[in-house]
Amino acid sequence: MKNEQFEKDIEVVPAIFNSLTIVEANGEKFLKGELPIVDANRKVWAKYQIEIKGSDRYPYSFPKLFETADAFKHNADWHVYENDFSCCVDYPANAKIICKNGLHVSDYIKNYAIPYFANQTFRIREGYYRYGEYSHGVFGKIEYYQSKLKAKNPAELLEMFRFILLDYNPPRTAACPFCHNVKFRHCHRDVFRELQFAKDYLFQDRAHLIAFFHAFPDYKLI
Ligand SMILES: [Zn+2]
């Protein structure tokens, strides 16, 4: 997708990642080339053919990353979106939080695209993801939110969503509504603030979780 800020930001990228070049097609400039995965001893483990294109909300969302040589399967199991075959580099709500102050494409490549391909390389060689991964679908959503919110049960998790969506922001000395005898600012305040940057995802995910917990009333959170 054509994005003026993206087209401006990519100008510095070939000087930093010299196997990437700027190309133009269909009136849109983007990055194309090879991304080597190199370890601390300069050993090259793999080389990926990639394209990085603008997204509609860049720099407040990740750009679109594509692997173009079929080095791995382009499906959800391999963390590739099946609607446009772009790489699923992080959980969408988390990607939005990461980009809340704007993320330059060169930082995206260094901090997100290269680790993504390093994980893919490990899985191609060893058969599994080294650093674990979130599950897919609703279980992935529950794991993701639970890793941040640490609710005691599904009802409490949904109640936390409601507080976040309402921009809950009590006085400094207020006790946490979810933790006994703990000041809110010492436990859930920071994660609530963080997730407030991704309220659109929370809103959608909350509906998904309500439907799931309704269908599986005995489901226990870990
Ligand atoms: Zn708390």
Side-chain angles (χ1 to χ4, degrees):
M1 178 173 290
K2 188 172 175 71
N3 176 306
E4 303 281 343
Q5 185 65 44
F6 178 78
E7 295 195 5
K8 189 163 162 279
D9 286 356
I10 60 177
E11 285 171 16
V12 300
V13 171
I16 304 168
F17 301 96
N18 52 30
S19 53
L20 295 178
T21 55
I22 297 168
V23 297
E24 187 164 2
N26 303 320
E28 177 186 4
K29 286 184 187 155
F30 57 93
L31 293 164
K32 185 179 174 71
E34 191 171 81
L35 196 64
I37 302 304
V38 185
D39 68 16
N41 300 317
R42 294 175 178 256
K43 176 175 172 168
V44 178
W45 287 85
K47 291 176 175 175
Y48 292 94
Q49 300 303 317
I50 66 159
E51 293 178 359
I52 303 176
K53 297 184 172 180
S55 55
D56 54 349
R57 294 187 68 257
Y58 176 91
Y60 301 103
S61 69
F62 283 167
K64 293 271 184 186
L65 174 66
F66 300 92
E67 189 280 320
T68 58
D70 291 326
F72 44 83
K73 289 199 181 87
H74 290 177
N75 62 22
D77 180 48
W78 282 85
H79 292 233
V80 175
Y81 289 113
E82 293 180 19
N83 57 348
D84 65 358
F85 300 109
S86 64
C87 299
C88 176
V89 174
D90 206 333
Y91 194 71
N94 209 38
K96 184 157 184 190
I97 292 165
I98 289 163
C99 298
K100 67 179 190 255
N101 300 319
L103 180 71
H104 193 282
V105 60
S106 58
D107 293 322
Y108 169 79
I109 296 169
K110 181 165 147 259
N111 297 325
Y112 300 99
I114 289 174
Y116 172 86
F117 284 114
N119 279 337
Q120 300 293 64
T121 305
F122 188 89
R123 180 169 171 189
I124 290 165
R125 298 172 70 98
E126 304 294 333
Y128 63 98
Y129 284 114
R130 180 169 191 180
Y131 298 107
E133 56 171 328
Y134 289 123
S135 320
H136 303 291
V138 72
F139 298 106
K141 288 182 187 179
I142 295 170
E143 281 172 42
Y144 171 71
Y145 289 113
Q146 213 17 25
S147 74
K148 296 201 165 269
L149 293 168
K150 303 189 183 356
K152 292 187 277 297
N153 52 57
E156 188 176 83
L157 187 65
L158 295 174
E159 188 66 357
M160 287 180 179
F161 269 60
R162 196 172 70 82
F163 275 63
I164 293 165
L165 290 168
L166 290 170
D167 286 321
Y168 180 67
N169 186 22
R172 244 183 79 75
T173 55
C176 178
F178 301 101
C179 306
H180 282 296
N181 300 319
V182 182
K183 295 233 188 318
F184 182 63
R185 71 173 192 274
H186 291 153
C187 55
H188 281 94
R189 184 190 67 182
D190 292 350
V191 70
F192 274 34
R193 282 185 181 171
E194 190 183 82
L195 289 172
Q196 274 160 359
F197 283 99
K199 275 199 286 188
D200 48 350
Y201 289 107
L202 260 79
F203 187 76
Q204 292 171 18
D205 290 345
R206 181 170 181 268
H208 197 173
L209 295 190
I210 287 171
F212 175 80
F213 292 139
H214 186 75
F216 299 92
D218 297 328
Y219 188 81
K220 301 250 183 316
L221 297 179
I222 299 163

